[in-house]
């Protein structure tokens, strides 16, 4: 049975560049970094949610179609205030793929951009649901 999201694996072109991007842009920290004869890997986490990680993978000597299976469809990050987040990340150099956030199925908002290896990334602002007061 599935208990939680473990990690999202992203195929990267340059490991140092990818680690620097996720660390500087979003405050991820490296938990583990290593390599084999064919792959270099790093696992990154956020202090706020250390049990969910991003696994970065770089093929050292591509010997299979592993890296051709796709970078990722997208990796989404939740933000509390979309407008503040857009302004913050624009100042850090992010170019968004649309001029304005788009609506989500739940009534929230989302906007897409690309990471350093052209991986699709997304900011999501969820709808804030205010519960009715059962005592009223």
């Amino acid at each position: 049975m599935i208990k939680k999201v473990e990690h999202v694996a992203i195929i990267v072109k340059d490991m140092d560049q990818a680690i620097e991007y996720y660390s500087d842009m979003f405050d991820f920290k490296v938990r583990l970094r290593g390599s084999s004869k064919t792959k270099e890997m790093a696992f990154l986490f956020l202090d706020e949610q250390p049990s969910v990680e991003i696994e970065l993978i770089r093929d050292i000597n591509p010997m299979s179609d592993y890296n051709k299976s796709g970078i990722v469809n997208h990796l989404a990050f939740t933000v509390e205030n979309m407008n503040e987040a857009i302004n913050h990340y624009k100042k850090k150099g992010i170019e968004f793929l649309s001029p304005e956030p788009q609506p989500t199925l739940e009534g929230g908002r989302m906007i897409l951009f690309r990471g350093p290896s052209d991986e699709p990334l997304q900011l999501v602002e969820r709808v804030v649901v205010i519960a009715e007061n059962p005592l009223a």
Side-chain angles (χ1 to χ4, degrees):
M1 302 276 207
I2 295 174
K3 302 280 186 196
K4 68 175 185 74
V5 173
E6 176 65 33
H7 67 265
V8 174
I10 301 171
I11 304 297
V12 300
K13 298 173 188 171
D14 181 312
M15 184 62 73
D16 291 329
Q17 177 192 37
I19 289 172
E20 181 178 336
Y21 180 84
Y22 285 98
S23 298
D24 292 348
M25 195 65 69
F26 307 115
D27 297 323
F28 275 88
K29 294 183 173 83
V30 176
R31 179 181 64 80
L32 179 65
R33 183 175 180 176
S35 61
S36 67
K37 291 180 181 180
T38 59
K39 291 180 180 42
E40 181 180 12
M41 294 170 281
F43 290 87
L44 286 66
F45 70 97
L46 289 169
D47 283 334
E48 295 287 325
Q49 195 177 19
S51 65
V52 178
E53 298 180 322
I54 297 173
E55 177 186 14
L56 304 176
I57 302 169
R58 182 185 72 83
D59 276 345
I60 294 171
N61 185 12
M63 297 176 68
S64 68
D65 289 338
Y66 185 73
N67 68 345
K68 293 179 182 170
S69 63
I71 295 172
V72 290
N73 180 273
H74 71 275
L75 172 61
F77 302 104
T78 301
V79 298
E80 289 185 19
N81 184 304
M82 181 64 75
N83 294 335
E84 285 179 12
I86 288 171
N87 289 333
H88 173 79
Y89 290 117
K90 277 185 178 179
K91 289 177 187 174
K92 293 186 93 168
I94 285 180
E95 294 181 18
F96 292 95
L97 300 181
S98 63
E100 296 293 325
Q102 304 300 308
T104 65
L105 283 176
E106 298 174 317
R109 301 187 301 160
M110 69 86 177
I111 193 163
L112 293 162
F113 58 103
R114 297 218 175 259
S117 295
D118 207 31
E119 67 272 23
L121 302 173
Q122 180 183 62
L123 300 180
V124 177
E125 179 185 64
R126 293 192 170 271
V127 177
V128 177
V129 177
I130 300 173
E132 291 184 34
N133 184 351
L135 301 176

